DNA sequence: TGTGAAAATTTCTTCGC
DNA sequence: GCGAAGAAATTTTCACA
């Protein structure tokens, strides 16, 4: 049995591999190998380790939301009654329109990122969230323009 | 008539392929083919079309931010002076710690998602953003817990 | 436009260092 | 833990329905 990679125990080579694979997960191992001056087998081994260690969570085709009909994005700040907070989170988590849920400090309990087809669906969703038992109030920030949205983690 | 896929012109097969490839971009075409009752060549053709149409933006290894040392996430709401707003956006866009920038309606001009190593770096970043010429004030919501963070678009 | 099978590449495994 | 070379599998191409 080979050892798992401990927290933060990734070296310079691993970092380069992560950078390349975040940009294009279909980059041939041969290309990575020659670029980094190592063998293909090593590339394969390293990538397998990164996956096993959970550093690479999965390989994903990144889809353009607008091109598949999700034309509206919004950020919704939610205030919940503390006693019912965990129930509220469970309800929110189940909603397919809710893509991100963050428990935050400050005047709001939670910040959500939601995606829907159009304004009508957003209105419906805001209603739905407002009607969850335990939700005190919500504040919707409609996204007019996406200036930047990058899911690739910068590796230092 | 052979043509590119027009906006929203994707059929049931394409949708299934998108779902599968968002979950695991390394799924063998042979498996997709047998699952959908089509040939491998057709799977390949469809995927190429989806990429060419920009519906699939890229194939990406999804990295766990915490496992590579990005232990702190925060949502920052920014109010900017209207006259200097576009300059402010340009400055924000250049910052590597800033992963998402949304132009929004409401009392704030912009909502940011940022990722850094620790609280000290967050404090430094908030200072930096506050000092951008044109930024009136900022409000930071420190993320205590990530309840959900899914980048896979639901295909209806 | 979709198919089936061959051709070209890529990925994976084994073995020796 | 790494590299080289062969084995296995996948992706790509092509002629044809």
């Amino acid at each position: 049995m080979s050892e798992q990679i401990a927290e933060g125990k990734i070296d310079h080579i691993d970092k380069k591999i992560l950078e390349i694979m975040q940009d294009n997960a279909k980059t041939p191992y041969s290309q990575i190998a020659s670029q980094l001056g190592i063998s293909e087998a090593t590339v394969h081994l390293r990538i397998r380790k990164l996956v096993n260690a959970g550093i690479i969570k999965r390989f994903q085709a990144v889809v353009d939301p607008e091109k598949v009909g999700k034309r509206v994005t919004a950020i919704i700040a939610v205030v919940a009654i503390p006693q019912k907070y965990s129930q509220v989170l469970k309800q929110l988590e189940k909603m397919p329109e809710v893509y991100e849920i963050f428990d935050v400090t400050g005047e709001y309990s939670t910040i959500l990122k939601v995606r829907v087809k159009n304004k009508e669906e957003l209105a419906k969703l805001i209603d739905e969230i407002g009607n969850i038992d335990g939700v005190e109030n919500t504040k919707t920030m409609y996204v007019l323009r996406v200036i930047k949205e990058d899911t690739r983690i910068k590796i230092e």
Side-chain angles (χ1 to χ4, degrees), chain A:
Chain A
M1 222 179 344
S2 67
E3 264 187 290
Q4 290 292 40
I5 300 170
E7 280 271 351
K9 263 296 199 187
I10 55 174
D11 66 10
H12 178 253
I13 302 284
D14 292 321
K15 287 176 184 173
K16 274 283 176 205
I17 291 175
L18 287 176
E19 274 173 15
I20 294 167
M21 295 298 278
Q22 281 193 106
D23 259 354
N24 180 10
K26 286 204 183 294
T27 310
Y29 290 5
S30 59
Q31 194 184 311
I32 299 174
S34 70
Q35 195 176 325
L36 302 185
I38 54 177
S39 75
E40 289 181 39
T42 302
V43 174
H44 173 246
L45 219 67
R46 296 276 191 145
I47 288 176
R48 204 171 47 148
K49 265 194 217 163
L50 290 166
V51 170
N52 287 340
I55 293 170
I56 292 177
K57 291 198 283 188
R58 68 172 171 282
F59 298 95
Q60 179 185 340
V62 179
V63 171
D64 186 329
E66 306 232 345
K67 295 251 170 75
V68 293
K70 295 274 182 280
R71 286 187 301 276
V72 169
T73 300
I75 311 295
I76 304 180
V78 178
V79 179
I81 298 167
Q83 289 77 20
K84 299 193 172 173
Y85 188 42
S86 67
Q87 295 173 46
V88 170
L89 288 181
K90 264 190 211 115
Q91 291 299 311
L92 290 171
E93 213 170 338
K94 277 193 281 190
M95 298 179 144
E97 301 91 344
V98 177
Y99 286 76
E100 302 184 14
I101 308 178
F102 300 112
D103 199 6
V104 293
T105 58
E107 67 180 293
Y108 305 106
S109 319
T110 312
I111 299 292
L112 311 177
K113 177 152 101 186
V114 306
R115 293 185 200 276
V116 291
K117 214 160 71 182
N118 51 38
K119 285 178 207 160
E120 288 69 36
E121 285 205 3
L122 178 60
K124 227 170 56 187
L125 180 64
I126 292 167
D127 267 5
E128 245 179 87
I129 293 172
N131 285 327
I132 293 174
D133 181 36
V135 169
E136 214 162 69
N137 67 70
T138 65
K139 175 159 155 181
T140 302
M141 288 157 276
Y142 186 84
V143 172
L144 298 169
R145 217 168 15 137
V146 177
I147 312 292
K148 184 176 182 179
E149 192 170 25
D150 202 341
T151 55
R152 288 167 285 199
I153 307 300
K154 268 86 178 177
I155 315 286
E156 338 116 64

